[in-house]
């Protein structure tokens, strides 16, 4: 690897301050007296374990946050978890017995600190695990079988992919993979070479890395991967932000060197001699080396700007480009490097090479920066090349198109100009701003070129713009639109339809019908009807072109719904037609359209003055002339169509209507369209609104007939309408005995109003006598008396059963029980000792019962069902939502409350225990 270039992309940092290079040296705090045997980084702290069993936690300034005695002897291993603030240690402790090992694993929760004394604190020990036991003695566990020999494990690495958990195990002579997601774990030998301790690491891609004197090897789950031939004895191997870390000891000088390798760019990002390193750890964005003499060396990566400046000073622009791309820098940073490389080449007057770099910056570098450099006439060829690439990428502005056309003109390159405008081969996409090209050509008088560009680019609206605004040929424009495809024709009509409707209304409507129904092209009707409907334009796309011709809009939509029954825009179409039909004066619909017009407020004002389609009297009827009669007739005809549309678009077979119900209600209310309101209220099951209409009309028979129709619960009606009707008669203040009797018949049938409420409601009407409700009350009292008698019989029955149970319980408490059963209830064999007798008079052999069986197997299921029912009742008593839901859903709320009291789950009071008893 001697061919790799060396750079100083890293520098020594001042410990704990993250300052510049060459900071003051740091060391393990003096409070840590023992020899550091292990360390681990994570969660903003470095944990160090010592040979005296203590663990110290160091902050960013390598000051001791706190320490504690983790083990009695030495701490062999520790690891801080990344996901949780937990520390795992392995170390020597005193043996609790001669049979147990001194090595144990401890788990400490660093978020919980327990007081050990007046001046020391220690984290809470969550768990202690003795690693070696009689079943797993230390001699069998601390070595991995490798053929005929046993060698120690020098490194472990976990690999987690989804639900798959795998473990790499390294010995001095092998690399093994264990698949832990299968039981028993499956073992797979990946290689017959290994490494020594500390020369094992895991990359950010979860590949295993091992360092050997001849090379560094990478391993994946299927075996050995890339191999990098770095010579030297690898004392430590690590991975830091995509860099490979190696501390290599020279065999001749016995001195160590820290090398930081950038494997993607094949360069050495940093190299420095180090002393006797005891531990390598990464934390706070630093590479931290702990020496044998407890000194600490912090090495941090320089920022990208510093690294690039270093390369720019050496004119190593190619290396800089590779660096920013490999470290996944943002495109803007990459473009900045390319720009500087282009400037460097431009300064050397290598204009062609400089332009090739500037072209790579398109999309990130402001084009004006490059254009200004090449405005000189001598470099117009390079400028033309750059502008062409801008157009190829679709990033050219109108000014760029104008500039490119001017370049072609100055170069007198007619061939390129024709290729740019006409593209003689007829293939390829338009690579310039069409509007700008057309504008330039029209300004120069090249109408042929302008129309050619518009037609080729599919900008038919621009083609028609020239045809209509410059030439005024309306018939030719209509003929051109007829020859376009449906979508293209729709776009052009939407753009210039107002002009066409103004000058050729009938012909425009005819073209729109052909566009929206494809009546003139029967081949498009083949295949799927739904696919066809998605391919043709929607009528709602052209509504705005009729802003001054509402009559033609109504004719257009009427003819459309006759031809197309399943349009995707049927809701919007029906909404627009309803507004045209129901409005008092035929004008452009504003409520059903997104953009409103001034006549909306006028229509609302007119609607307030109208009742059932006619003016209420604000104008003198004598002044009505023929024109007013014609308008009135038009309103009647349109409203007849509106009611027919409401009904046909929401039949009984339809779950949802073909129009917006809320909009229909607004329209009917605004324009006082009573027939439409009644239909919509009934379809929406707003029965109270329906009967309100009859109440206002004082139509009693109509009210009762409406309630018979809409208040039948068996037909999906609302029985509460009868209660509202009864309330209406109670507040009427006139004699309506006949109607009340008829209403009471249905109320008694449906049982929707309690008798007391009936009496209270009807008592408000002074014109009603007691004879009206006499028969109704008598029948209800008879029913209640019968119910009371049934309840009394049930009470007597339950009291007798309760008394019988009390006597049986008292007998069990005071009298001896004689068991005379001679056979076992379970096996039916003769009962012999030892035997078990239960108070339920069942007897069993002791052998026929399960272990610790204290309940009768015969009676236990019934007892458990009773207890489960009791627990369920108690649980329901605590769930207030269930109680109130039942209370609201019941016709008789008192029955729900009484049921809860009868089960003893409402009145039960829990007495809190006293003195912990």
């Amino acid at each position: 690897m001697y061919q790799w270039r060396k750079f100083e992309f890293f520098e020594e940092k001042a410990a704990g301050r993250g300052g510049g290079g060459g900071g003051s040296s740091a060391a393990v705090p003096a409070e840590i007296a023992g020899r550091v045997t292990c360390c681990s980084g994570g969660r903003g702290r470095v944990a160090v374990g010592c040979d005296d069993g203590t663990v110290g936690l160091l902050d960013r300034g390598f000051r001791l946050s706190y320490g504690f005695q983790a083990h009695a002897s030495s701490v062999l291993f520790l690891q801080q978890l990344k996901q949780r603030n937990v520390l795992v240690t392995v170390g020597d402790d005193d043996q609790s017995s001669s049979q147990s090992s001194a090595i144990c694993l401890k788990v400490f929760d660093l978020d919980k600190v327990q007081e050990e004394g007046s001046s020391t604190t220690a984290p809470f020990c969550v768990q202690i695990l003795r690693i070696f036991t009689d079943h797993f003695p230390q001699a069998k566990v601390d070595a991995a079988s490798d053929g005929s020999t046993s060698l120690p494990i020098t490194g472990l690495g976990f690999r987690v992919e989804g639900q798959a958990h795998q473990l790499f195990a390294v010995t001095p002579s092998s690399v093994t993979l264990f698949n832990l997601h299968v039981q028993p774990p499956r073992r797979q030998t990946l290689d017959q070479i290994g490494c020594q301790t500390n020369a094992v690491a895991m990359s950010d891609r979860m590949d295993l890395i091992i360092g050997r004197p001849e090379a560094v090897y990478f391993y994946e789950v299927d075996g050995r991967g890339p191999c990098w031939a770095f010579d030297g004895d690898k004392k430590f191997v690590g991975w830091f932000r995509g860099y490979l870390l190696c501390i290599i000891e020279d065999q001749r000088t016995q001195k160590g060197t820290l090398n930081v390798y950038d494997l993607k760019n094949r360069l050495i990002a940093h190299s420095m001699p180090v002393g006797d390193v005891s531990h390598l750890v990464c934390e706070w964005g630093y590479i931290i080396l702990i020496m044998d003499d407890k000194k600490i060396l912090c090495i941090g990566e320089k920022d990208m700007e510093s690294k690039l400046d270093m390369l720019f000073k050496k004119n190593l622009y190619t290396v800089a480009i590779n660096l920013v791309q490999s470290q996944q820098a943002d495109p803007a940073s990459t473009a900045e490097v390319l720009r500087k490389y282009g400037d460097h080449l431009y300064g050397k007057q290598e204009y062609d090479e400089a332009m090739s770099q500037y072209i790579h910056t398109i999309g990130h570098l402001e084009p004006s920066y490059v254009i200004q450099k090449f405005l000189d006439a001598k470099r117009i060829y390079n400028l033309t090349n750059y502008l062409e690439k801008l157009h190829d990428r679709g990033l050219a502005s109108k000014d760029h198109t104008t500039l490119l056309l001017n370049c072609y003109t100055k170069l007198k390159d007619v061939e390129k100009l024709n290729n740019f405008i006409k593209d003689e081969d007829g293939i390829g996409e338009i690579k310039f701003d069409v509007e700008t090209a057309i504008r330039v050509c029209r300004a120069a008088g090249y109408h042929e070129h302008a129309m050619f560009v518009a037609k080729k680019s599919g900008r038919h609206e621009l083609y028609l713009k020239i045809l209509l605004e410059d030439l005024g040929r309306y018939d030719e424009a209509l003929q051109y639109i007829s020859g376009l495809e449906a979508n293209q024709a729709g776009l052009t009509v939407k753009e210039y339809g107002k002009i066409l409707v103004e000058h050729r209304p009938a012909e425009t409507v005819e073209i729109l019908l052909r566009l929206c129904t494809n009546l003139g092209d029967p081949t498009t009707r083949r295949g799927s009807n739904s696919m066809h409907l998605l391919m043709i334009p929607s009528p709602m796309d052209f509504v705005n072109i009729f802003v001054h011709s509402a009559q033609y809009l109504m004719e257009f939509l009427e003819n459309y719904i006759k031809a197309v029954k399943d349009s995707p825009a049927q809701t919007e179409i029906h909404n627009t037609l309803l507004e045209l039909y129901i409005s008092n004066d035929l004008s452009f619909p504003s409520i059903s359209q997104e953009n409103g017009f001034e006549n909306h407020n006028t229509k609302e004002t007119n609607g307030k003055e109208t009742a059932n389609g006619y003016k209420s009297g604000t104008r003198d009827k004598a002044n009505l002339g023929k024109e007013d009669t014609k308008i009135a007739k038009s309103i009647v005809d349109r409203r007849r169509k509106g009611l027919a549309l409401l009904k046909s678009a929401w039949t009984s077979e339809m779950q949802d209507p073909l129009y917006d119900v809320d909009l229909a209600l607004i329209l009917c209310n605004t324009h006082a369209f009573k027939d439409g309101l009644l239909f919509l209220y009934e379809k929406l099951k707003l029965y109270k609104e329906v009967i309100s209409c009859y109440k206002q009309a004082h139509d009693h028979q109509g009210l009762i007939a409406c309630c018979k129709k809409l208040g039948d619960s068996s037909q999906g009606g609302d029985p509460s309408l009868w209660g509202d009707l009864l309330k209406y008669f109670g507040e009427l203040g006139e004699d309506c005995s006949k109607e009340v009797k008829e209403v009471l018949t249905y109320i008694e049938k449906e049982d929707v109003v309690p008798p007391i409420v009936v009496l209270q409601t009807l008592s408000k009407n002074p014109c009603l006598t007691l004879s009206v409700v006499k028969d109704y009350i008598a029948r209800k009292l008879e029913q209640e008396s019968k119910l009371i008698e049934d309840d009394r019989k049930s009470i007597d029955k339950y009291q007798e059963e309760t008394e019988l149970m009390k006597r049986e319980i008292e007998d069990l408490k005071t009298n001896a029980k004689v068991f005379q059963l001679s056979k076992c209830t379970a096996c039916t064999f003769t009962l012999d000792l030892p035997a078990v007798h239960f108070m339920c008079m069942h007897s069993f052999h002791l052998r026929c019962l399960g272990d610790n069986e204290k309940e009768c197997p015969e009676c236990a299921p019934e007892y458990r069902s009773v207890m489960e029912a009791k627990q369920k009742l108690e649980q329901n008593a605590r769930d207030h939502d269930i109680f109130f839901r039942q209370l609201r859903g019941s016709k008789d709320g008192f029955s729900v409350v009484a049921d809860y009291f009868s089960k003893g789950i409402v009145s039960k009071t829990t007495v809190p225990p006293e003195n912990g008893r």
Side-chain angles (χ1 to χ4, degrees), residues 660-706:
D660 189 328
V661 179
D662 294 333
L663 177 64
L665 285 172
I666 292 174
L667 292 173
C668 293
N669 264 319
T670 302
H671 301 287
F673 186 30
K674 178 182 176 182
D675 294 339
L677 278 175
L678 289 175
F679 172 77
L680 292 172
Y681 284 154
E682 185 173 343
K683 292 295 289 185
L684 292 171
K685 296 185 178 182
L686 298 175
Y687 301 142
K688 297 184 185 298
E689 300 295 336
V690 176
I691 65 174
S692 294
C693 296
Y694 290 100
K695 289 179 183 179
Q696 294 174 3
H698 209 67
D699 185 2
H700 294 175
Q701 293 302 322
L703 267 175
I704 296 176
C706 177

Side-chain angles (χ1 to χ4, degrees), residues 462-713:
L462 294 178
Y463 186 91
L464 289 173
K465 185 180 181 67
I466 301 172
L467 199 60
L468 292 173
E469 296 182 358
D470 294 347
L471 305 177
R473 299 201 291 261
Y474 305 111
D475 293 331
E476 185 177 347
L478 289 171
Q479 184 178 2
Y480 178 80
I481 293 172
S482 301
L484 297 176
E485 295 181 358
N487 291 335
Q488 296 172 343
L491 292 175
T492 56
V493 173
K494 187 176 180 180
E495 181 73 18
Y496 298 102
K498 292 181 182 179
I499 300 177
L500 294 174
V501 170
E502 181 181 359
H503 294 88
R504 301 290 189 273
E507 293 82 353
T508 304
V509 170
E510 182 180 355
I511 287 180
L512 285 176
L513 285 173
R514 288 203 304 267
L515 286 176
C516 296
T517 60
N518 276 342
L519 295 176
D521 188 5
T523 58
T524 59
R525 284 288 180 180
R526 301 174 184 173
S528 172
N529 191 38
S530 61
M531 290 299 297
H532 157 72
L533 292 174
L534 292 175
M535 293 172 59
I536 63 177
S538 169
M540 299 308 298
D541 296 337
F542 311 104
V543 170
N544 287 337
I545 71 174
F546 294 95
V547 63
H548 301 300
S549 305
Q551 181 65 38
Y552 285 104
L553 173 61
M554 186 171 66
E555 294 178 5
F556 168 53
L557 295 180
E558 286 176 344
N559 292 326
Y560 177 82
I561 63 174
K562 291 178 182 177
V564 180
K565 303 298 183 183
D566 53 354
S567 171
Q570 58 186 359
T571 301
E572 293 81 359
I573 295 172
H574 284 80
N575 290 343
T576 305
L577 267 178
L578 281 176
E579 186 167 358
L580 290 170
Y581 286 152
I582 298 175
S583 61
N584 296 320
D585 49 350
L586 183 60
S587 59
F588 185 78
S590 60
I591 298 179
S592 59
Q593 303 303 311
E594 293 181 355
N595 48 346
F597 294 88
E598 295 179 357
N599 62 345
H600 177 57
N601 294 330
T602 304
K603 291 201 298 178
E604 287 187 350
T605 304
N606 294 337
K608 294 178 182 178
E609 299 173 352
T610 306
N612 293 330
Y614 295 95
K615 298 294 174 102
S616 60
T618 56
R619 299 176 58 186
D620 189 357
K621 296 183 179 179
N623 294 330
L624 289 176
K626 292 183 179 180
E627 188 66 26
D628 292 330
T629 304
K630 183 178 180 181
I631 293 175
K633 184 178 183 299
S634 173
I635 293 175
V636 174
D637 292 340
R638 285 188 285 109
R639 293 202 171 184
R640 184 177 64 253
K641 291 182 180 180
L643 183 59
L645 183 63
L646 286 173
K647 294 181 178 180
S648 63
W650 197 1
T651 62
S652 57
E653 293 81 10
M654 297 180 182
Q655 184 178 1
D656 297 315
L658 300 179
Y659 49 81
D660 189 328
V661 179
D662 294 333
L663 177 64
L665 285 172
I666 292 174
L667 292 173
C668 293
N669 264 319
T670 302
H671 301 287
F673 186 30
K674 178 182 176 182
D675 294 339
L677 278 175
L678 289 175
F679 172 77
L680 292 172
Y681 284 154
E682 185 173 343
K683 292 295 289 185
L684 292 171
K685 296 185 178 182
L686 298 175
Y687 301 142
K688 297 184 185 298
E689 300 295 336
V690 176
I691 65 174
S692 294
C693 296
Y694 290 100
K695 289 179 183 179
Q696 294 174 3
H698 209 67
D699 185 2
H700 294 175
Q701 293 302 322
L703 267 175
I704 296 176
C706 177
C707 288
K708 287 181 179 180
K709 177 182 178 183
L710 304 179
D712 189 356
S713 60

Side-chain angles (χ1 to χ4, degrees), residues 779-824:
R779 289 191 298 269
K780 296 300 291 185
L781 288 176
E782 183 180 356
Q783 293 176 4
E784 294 295 331
S785 299
K786 185 178 179 181
L787 291 175
I788 291 172
E789 184 63 26
D790 293 340
D791 290 341
R792 286 178 178 174
K793 291 179 180 179
S794 298
I795 291 171
D796 294 340
K797 178 184 176 182
Y798 293 148
Q799 286 179 344
E800 292 176 1
E801 292 177 354
T802 302
E803 187 63 29
L804 181 61
M805 291 180 184
K806 288 181 178 180
R807 288 197 300 267
E808 185 177 352
I809 292 172
E810 183 64 23
D811 183 63
L812 290 174
K813 290 181 177 180
T814 58
N815 298 327
K817 200 73 171 179
V818 179
F819 299 95
Q820 297 179 346
L821 193 63
S822 61
K823 292 185 179 180
C824 176

Side-chain angles (χ1 to χ4, degrees), residues 8-196:
E8 293 301 321
F9 289 163
F10 287 76
E11 62 183 353
E12 184 178 351
K13 298 288 185 178
R17 294 185 290 274
S24 60
S25 60
V28 176
E31 294 91 335
I32 301 177
R35 181 176 59 86
V36 177
T37 57
C38 52
C39 65
S40 173
R43 303 184 67 88
R45 286 182 296 196
V46 172
V48 295
C50 302
D51 58 358
D52 57 1
T54 60
V55 171
L57 295 174
L58 308 183
D59 61 11
R60 193 182 184 93
F62 294 103
R63 295 178 294 269
L64 181 65
S65 296
Y66 65 90
F68 62 94
Q69 190 73 31
H71 295 272
S73 183
S74 176
V75 181
L76 303 177
F77 173 83
L78 58 79
Q79 178 68 43
Q80 293 191 80
L81 303 187
K82 295 181 179 180
Q83 301 299 328
R84 298 179 58 186
N85 196 15
V86 171
L87 178 68
V88 180
T89 66
V90 177
D92 288 341
D93 277 310
D94 294 334
Q95 298 185 13
S96 59
S97 65
S98 59
Q99 288 78 17
S100 61
S101 172
I103 298 179
C104 65
L105 180 145
K106 293 185 179 181
V107 181
F108 295 94
D109 188 346
L110 301 182
D111 289 329
K112 299 179 181 179
V113 178
Q114 61 182 1
E115 296 290 338
E116 286 189 352
S118 59
S119 61
T120 60
T121 58
F124 182 72
C125 183
V126 178
Q127 187 175 7
I128 300 176
L129 175 64
R130 294 284 178 178
I131 298 180
F132 304 112
T133 63
D134 293 340
H135 297 287
F136 300 97
Q138 181 173 353
K140 295 183 179 179
V141 176
D142 63 2
S145 177
D146 184 16
S148 60
T149 63
S150 294
L151 297 175
I153 293 177
T154 57
L156 296 172
F158 279 101
R159 179 187 181 101
V160 180
E161 290 182 335
Q163 298 298 324
H165 293 70
Q166 297 166 312
L167 175 64
F168 290 101
V170 183
T171 69
S173 61
S174 68
V175 178
T176 306
L177 177 68
F178 293 91
N179 291 313
L180 306 181
H181 55 279
V182 295
Q183 293 297 331
R186 186 170 64 250
R187 175 179 176 178
Q188 176 186 358
T189 301
L190 301 181
D191 207 342
Q192 295 298 331
I193 62 173
C195 66
Q196 299 300 322

